[in-house]
Amino acid sequence: MKRLSKLLTTWMLLMSSPLYAGTVICSGKVEQLAYHADNSFMIKLDSMNVPVFFCSPEIEWAVVGTEYKTGPETCKLLYASFLSAKSSGAILKTIYFDGGDVPERCDGWGDWKRANIRYFNF
């Protein structure tokens, strides 16, 4: 009975904890910047297999699997920065994608996946 109680307690703690998912760190040139009709922006680096939704210029962006969020003004700044990088051919040295849709590798994204960008530099 004690063991069952301990298992039940452990299970309850796991179920009440926030769901944390993965992080993948990518680098490369911006190949695509896209806008999708649900007010979301997408990005694809040359190291990625498909574009990924990364923010919305209208609402606070949140994805399952991370507590990080991106506000509308930050979204616009990210888009402008990525557009500048694309236009100049700059290489993004580091970009952290977080969330439940994040694959183990940059070239493992599924179609129509979402992520939060926690950090980037170029």
Side-chain angles (χ1 to χ4, degrees):
M1 189 65 162
K2 238 181 179 182
R3 183 177 173 156
L4 180 59
S5 176
K6 190 173 185 176
L7 285 172
L8 184 58
T9 301
T10 302
W11 180 80
M12 288 174 62
L13 283 172
L14 288 172
M15 297 314 294
S16 65
S17 298
L19 176 65
Y20 290 98
T23 296
V24 67
I25 303 168
C26 301
S27 62
K29 290 185 177 183
V30 177
E31 267 189 6
Q32 293 179 26
L33 277 175
Y35 168 80
H36 196 272
D38 66 351
N39 279 339
S40 298
F41 290 131
M42 300 176 84
I43 188 169
K44 180 186 178 293
L45 304 179
D46 60 6
S47 62
M48 298 165 68
N49 57 320
V50 294
V52 174
F53 291 104
F54 70 92
C55 72
S56 170
E58 299 295 324
I59 61 169
E60 184 174 72
W61 181 260
V63 298
V64 173
T66 182
E67 293 180 358
Y68 295 110
K69 296 178 181 169
T70 303
E73 293 304 313
T74 301
C75 177
K76 294 169 192 169
L77 177 79
L78 286 171
Y79 187 86
S81 297
F82 297 148
L83 183 60
S84 173
K86 180 169 177 40
S87 298
S88 69
I91 293 174
L92 291 171
K93 294 179 184 175
T94 308
I95 184 167
Y96 283 66
F97 292 97
D98 296 320
D101 287 344
V102 173
E104 291 182 15
R105 297 178 8 193
C106 292
D107 62 357
W109 291 95
D111 291 333
W112 307 108
K113 297 302 182 183
R114 300 163 41 108
N116 185 277
I117 294 176
R118 174 172 27 122
Y119 172 84
F120 82 94
N121 95 37
F122 67 99

